[in-house]
Amino acid sequence: ETIYHLPLAYERLFVDVGEDGIFQLRYDNPLRIGNTLEDSPALLSFERILEIFGSVSPLMYAPFEQASNNGIQVDRVALGYMNLQMKDHPDRYQMVPVWDFFGSRTIERELYEDANLSLFTINAIDGTVIDRYLGY
């Protein structure tokens, strides 16, 4: 849908090989690495991350929890990186440390599980909640 951000065009190398060997190379979307914005940013404490999760996640999932059998179950929390769209430059991205909350959702007695789909993402530096569908 148009509300979602466009996927990042990752680097790709195509090699066409025939009977006589390689006859074509194509390199798409070369990555350009810019400046490091901050060498060693301070991360928020995990306790602060849990406070943010506890106060914001109920607001995010409130529409789904109207029935007594709806809800989320978090079974894993991981610190990693995310390509985050830059606010002032929508065509540029930066790698940002984030906390991801993984688990399952129950909606109308149906269980939805995806081990690689984050239910909730928090910027580990400033504590902002990131919508992975929008990319920021």
Side-chain angles (χ1 to χ4, degrees):
E1 294 186 26
T2 56
I3 63 168
Y4 299 136
H5 69 93
L6 295 173
L8 284 174
Y10 288 103
E11 292 180 299
R12 296 183 300 178
L13 177 64
F14 295 93
V15 180
D16 292 327
V17 180
E19 291 179 10
D20 297 327
I22 296 174
F23 64 89
Q24 180 178 340
L25 286 173
R26 190 173 85 223
Y27 182 41
D28 290 345
N29 306 314
L31 177 67
R32 290 183 296 276
I33 299 175
N35 298 331
T36 299
L37 299 177
E38 181 136 3
D39 285 325
S40 298
L43 302 183
L44 294 174
S45 69
F46 188 63
E47 290 77 21
R48 178 68 183 125
I49 295 298
L50 290 178
E51 287 174 17
I52 295 167
F53 176 78
S55 62
V56 179
S57 66
L59 301 173
M60 181 177 170
Y61 286 101
F64 301 106
E65 294 182 349
Q66 293 174 359
S68 62
N69 58 347
N70 290 354
I72 66 168
Q73 177 71 41
V74 174
D75 57 27
R76 180 170 54 102
V77 180
L79 179 63
Y81 284 97
M82 176 182 174
N83 283 322
L84 187 63
Q85 189 176 29
M86 296 178 75
K87 293 177 185 175
D88 299 335
H89 303 281
D91 60 331
R92 299 176 78 187
Y93 293 81
Q94 59 187 349
M95 293 294 286
V96 176
V98 296
W99 284 101
D100 279 307
F101 293 76
F102 298 95
S104 59
R105 291 175 55 192
T106 304
I107 302 173
E108 298 296 326
R109 294 196 174 114
E110 286 224 25
L111 183 65
Y112 296 91
E113 292 181 282
D114 186 341
N116 298 315
L117 181 65
S118 178
L119 297 170
F120 200 81
T121 302
I122 299 174
N123 184 320
I125 297 172
D126 64 13
T128 56
V129 176
I130 299 170
D131 185 330
R132 282 200 173 261
Y133 292 110
L134 295 175
Y136 52 86

